[in-house]
Amino acid sequence: MTRTADGCTTDGRTTDRYTVVSADCHAGADLLDYKPYLEKRYHDDFDAWAATYVNPYEDLLADTADRNWNSGRRLAELEVDGIVAEVVFPNTIPPFFPSASLLAPVPTRQELERRWAGLRAHNRWLADFCGQAPGRRAGVAQILLNDVGQAAREVRWAREAGLTGGVLLPGVPPGSGIPELYSTVYDPLWAVCAELDVPVNHHGGSASPPLGDEPAARAVFMVETTWFSHRALWHLVFGGVFRRHPSLRLVLTEQGSGWIPGVLEMLDYYHERLVSAAGRSAATAESKFGAGLAESMGPRPSEVWRANVYVGASFMRPHEVPLRERIGLEKIMWGSDYPHDEGTHPYSREGLRAAYAGLPAEEVAAMVGGNAARVYGFDPKFLARIAARVGPTVAEIAEPLTEAPADATSPAFAPGGGVRVW
């Protein structure tokens, strides 16, 4: 590891402190503050909607809700946590949505126009919010998939507006009526993202189908929600998206990371069966299922992963860390999930210790910040100068965490490491 003239290592780390970039944070405007970002023709509709809207989320009604939009408070709290930069996903309710856009039901055709206006208002607010902390926030733009041309245009606008976090790919739950993600109808969207080097982010929790109101539905949701989010990976791989757009980058965020090696082996297995069936007797099951797929799918899924896919491994659990080489050290991006209750704030330093104590400093530096800086276009040297003031020291993170903070609410500190089976 060499040092530059300003005392930083080549990965942007100061010689004794880590440059920590959270690859998973959330923000949004206070409800009424979205109005100035709406086109004027929607102002009356917005006033009527806002007057009767009841926010369904306790955390957005609490006295800590301003963490979503109070730039000064946010920077201060992240710095105390040792974090110098963040990738900003949405959190608050955009205009005309019944709930947060990640979880809102698919709109009817009549609702689409207003929903699009609401998302554009959020994206414009987010560009200004990121501008309040230059070089420290990579905002993730929101789109809908019902109009692919409009989605592609919004991606272009977001790139020009400086939203370096890329685009948030909505989930497509079964039965939604929207084409599945493997459909070639989305090629104009993938094309513009590849052309502009815009990361495509798929966040956990956005792809589950409705489960009803029975009490057991909450438990089933917890078990299944990450799996439904994982589906984006094999849909895009088997849909040949990366063959047609080889420079496209996909980031799977807040879906765990321990599932990745096993799923890649499983996907490689099916890929091999389908590809090897080419030219065989049409009577075999593989030939029937694999007809025409050998050329269209492209490389093996594990090869696609190495070339095109990354994981936003929010508050990586200790049991996942031994899998880091199989996942790919250059693929893992730690996240705090600020300001969510399940996030590591205000114990991110302890969360980093729980996961990474005892590992080589170069590996830790990559997972806690270096990889995210590369994927989202942060300037490592600029961030390292801030980290020299607030970043956790190498010695601090090397110290094993023997006891979790008593009032910590993050699964990062759950007994057994918060094991996920998917």
Side-chain angles (χ1 to χ4, degrees):
M1 181 66 64
T2 58
R3 300 181 186 180
T4 60
D6 58 2
C8 298
T9 61
T10 51
D11 61 5
R13 176 169 53 91
T14 61
T15 53
D16 65 341
R17 291 182 184 266
Y18 289 117
T19 299
V20 181
V21 177
S22 173
D24 181 25
C25 288
H26 296 264
D30 198 2
L31 189 69
L32 297 181
D33 289 341
Y34 276 125
K35 183 175 178 179
Y37 294 94
L38 278 168
E39 298 172 55
K40 287 186 178 180
R41 62 192 175 108
Y42 293 106
H43 283 190
D44 289 346
D45 284 352
F46 176 81
D47 290 341
W49 172 78
T52 60
Y53 186 77
V54 178
N55 197 311
Y57 299 112
E58 291 183 6
D59 64 319
L60 296 181
L61 299 172
D63 59 3
T64 55
D66 73 324
R67 288 171 173 162
N68 286 281
W69 57 79
N70 185 329
S71 183
R73 176 178 185 171
R74 190 180 184 97
L75 284 172
E77 292 190 349
L78 288 174
E79 286 189 0
V80 169
D81 244 8
I83 297 168
V84 299
E86 55 176 330
V87 180
V88 186
F89 287 88
N91 198 43
T92 61
I93 315 300
F96 310 122
F97 277 73
S99 60
S101 57
L102 278 174
L103 301 174
V106 177
T108 65
R109 184 175 298 276
Q110 290 74 21
E111 294 173 310
L112 275 176
E113 180 183 341
R114 296 203 317 169
R115 293 275 187 97
W116 262 112
L119 289 191
R120 286 195 297 267
H122 171 82
N123 292 342
R124 282 142 184 76
W125 173 87
L126 182 59
D128 282 354
F129 185 69
C130 291
Q132 295 178 45
R136 301 183 67 176
R137 292 176 181 147
V140 179
Q142 297 191 76
I143 59 170
L144 292 171
L145 295 178
N146 308 70
D147 186 329
V148 177
Q150 194 166 5
R153 289 190 293 273
E154 190 67 11
V155 170
R156 287 192 181 277
W157 176 90
R159 186 64 172 176
E160 293 170 1
L163 292 178
T164 58
V167 62
L168 179 60
L169 178 65
V172 180
S176 68
I178 299 175
E180 298 283 2
L181 290 176
Y182 52 69
S183 173
T184 56
V185 72
Y186 299 119
D187 266 9
L189 176 61
W190 312 138
V192 73
C193 290
E195 173 197 343
L196 301 178
D197 198 24
V198 168
V200 174
N201 304 276
H202 190 57
H203 195 283
S206 66
S208 299
L211 293 172
D213 299 323
E214 293 282 343
R218 295 191 296 274
V220 172
F221 176 84
M222 288 184 64
V223 171
E224 294 182 346
T225 184
T226 52
W227 182 87
F228 277 108
S229 296
H230 301 343
R231 293 172 76 231
L233 174 61
W234 50 84
H235 278 227
L236 269 61
V237 169
F238 288 147
V241 171
F242 299 102
R243 180 188 65 80
R244 298 190 301 276
H245 309 281
S247 64
L248 187 70
R249 293 181 295 161
L250 174 67
V251 183
L252 303 173
T253 297
E254 201 175 335
Q255 305 178 28
S257 59
W259 59 276
I260 293 168
V263 166
L264 290 178
E265 290 178 1
M266 180 264 291
L267 297 180
D268 277 354
Y269 166 75
Y270 285 112
H271 182 276
E272 177 62 26
R273 285 183 62 185
L274 294 170
V275 169
S276 64
R280 290 187 180 180
S281 168
T284 65
E286 287 84 355
S287 294
K288 294 177 180 178
F289 277 97
L293 287 176
E295 293 296 326
S296 66
M297 286 190 302
R300 287 160 54 93
S302 58
E303 294 174 17
V304 171
W305 177 270
R306 287 193 293 271
N308 302 89
V309 189
Y310 302 83
V311 57
S314 304
F315 41 78
M316 198 172 188
R317 285 95 164 155
H319 77 279
E320 296 172 312
V321 175
L323 299 171
R324 64 193 183 279
E325 291 185 357
R326 294 177 62 193
I327 296 168
L329 273 167
E330 74 285 3
K331 300 294 181 180
I332 298 168
M333 301 181 291
W334 178 88
S336 70
D337 201 26
Y338 177 94
H340 288 168
D341 289 342
E342 64 267 28
T344 54
H345 173 79
Y347 300 114
S348 293
R349 296 170 184 268
E350 288 81 0
L352 291 170
R353 288 172 56 196
Y356 298 129
L359 298 187
E362 290 77 10
E363 294 186 8
V364 177
M367 291 186 287
V368 304
N371 294 336
R374 174 168 45 86
V375 171
Y376 292 106
F378 290 106
D379 181 347
K381 292 182 180 179
F382 168 73
L383 295 184
R385 289 192 289 271
I386 303 170
R389 174 172 55 87
V390 305
T393 66
V394 172
E396 176 186 358
I397 302 305
E399 183 69 24
L401 186 71
T402 58
E403 185 175 353
D407 57 344
T409 56
S410 173
F413 304 109
V419 176
R420 292 189 185 275
V421 298
W422 299 113

